[in-house]
């Protein structure tokens, strides 16, 4: 998703699935703990429905100001329900990544702890 968008400006926008079917309205935006970038959105799927979490990374904010989510409506509506207004735990995020079949970012490489001697160095 375009990272220059203020996440607060996403609230209240309409969201549509990959086929153009309306899913609902963006209720909340969840930021990545490490980067502060918008990562997930909670979409209110109806007047008496729950919120469905959708990933923002493969989604696209289109010119008319709506959010296009590249998944089928049924998959979105079947997303795990964690309730809104609370922090998503790493375990909950993992469930969402798996639900949408998204690859997780690879873990960072381990720190270089091999502090051996340099060539031609003499011990003092």
């Amino acid at each position: 998703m375009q990272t220059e968008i203020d996440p607060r400006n996403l609230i209240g926008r309409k969201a549509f699935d990959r086929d153009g079917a309306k899913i609902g309205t963006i209720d909340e935006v969840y930021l990545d703990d490490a980067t502060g970038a918008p990562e997930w959105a909670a979409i209110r799927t109806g007047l008496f429905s729950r919120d469905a979490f959708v990933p923002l990374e493969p989604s696209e904010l289109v010119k008319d100001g709506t959010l296009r989510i590249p998944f089928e409506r049924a998959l979105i509506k079947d997303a795990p329900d964690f309730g809104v207004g609370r922090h998503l735990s790493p375990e909950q995020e993992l469930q969402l990544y798996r639900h949408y079949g998204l690859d997780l970012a690879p873990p960072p490489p381990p720190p270089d702890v091999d502090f051996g001697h340099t060539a031609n160095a003499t011990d003092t």
Side-chain angles (χ1 to χ4, degrees):
M1 195 180 118
Q2 302 152 338
T3 56
E4 70 272 0
I5 302 232
D6 184 341
R8 292 171 296 204
N9 291 335
L10 291 173
I11 307 293
R13 291 185 187 258
K14 303 295 181 209
F16 294 85
D17 76 357
R18 70 178 185 189
D19 299 320
K22 183 180 176 189
I23 299 165
T25 305
I26 300 172
D27 232 4
E28 292 192 31
V29 175
Y30 292 77
L31 307 179
D32 180 90
D33 287 339
T35 66
E39 188 170 16
W40 299 97
I43 310 283
R44 172 66 57 186
T45 59
L47 187 59
F48 299 108
S49 293
R50 65 180 184 86
D51 283 71
F53 286 88
V54 297
L56 290 174
E57 179 50 43
S59 300
E60 176 184 18
L61 193 60
V62 294
K63 291 182 181 181
D64 64 358
T66 62
L67 185 68
R68 175 88 48 184
I69 303 158
F71 299 102
E72 292 179 353
R73 184 177 184 183
L75 181 68
I76 295 167
K77 287 195 168 209
D78 286 341
D81 182 9
F82 303 119
V84 295
R86 290 178 265 168
H87 181 267
L88 287 176
S89 72
E91 294 80 18
Q92 290 170 328
E93 286 190 76
L94 184 59
Q95 286 179 13
L96 289 169
Y97 276 109
R98 286 182 179 148
H99 176 77
Y100 287 106
L102 297 173
D103 290 331
L104 296 173
D112 185 10
V113 293
D114 186 18
F115 298 113
H117 298 285
T118 55
N120 297 327
T122 58
D123 290 329
T124 55

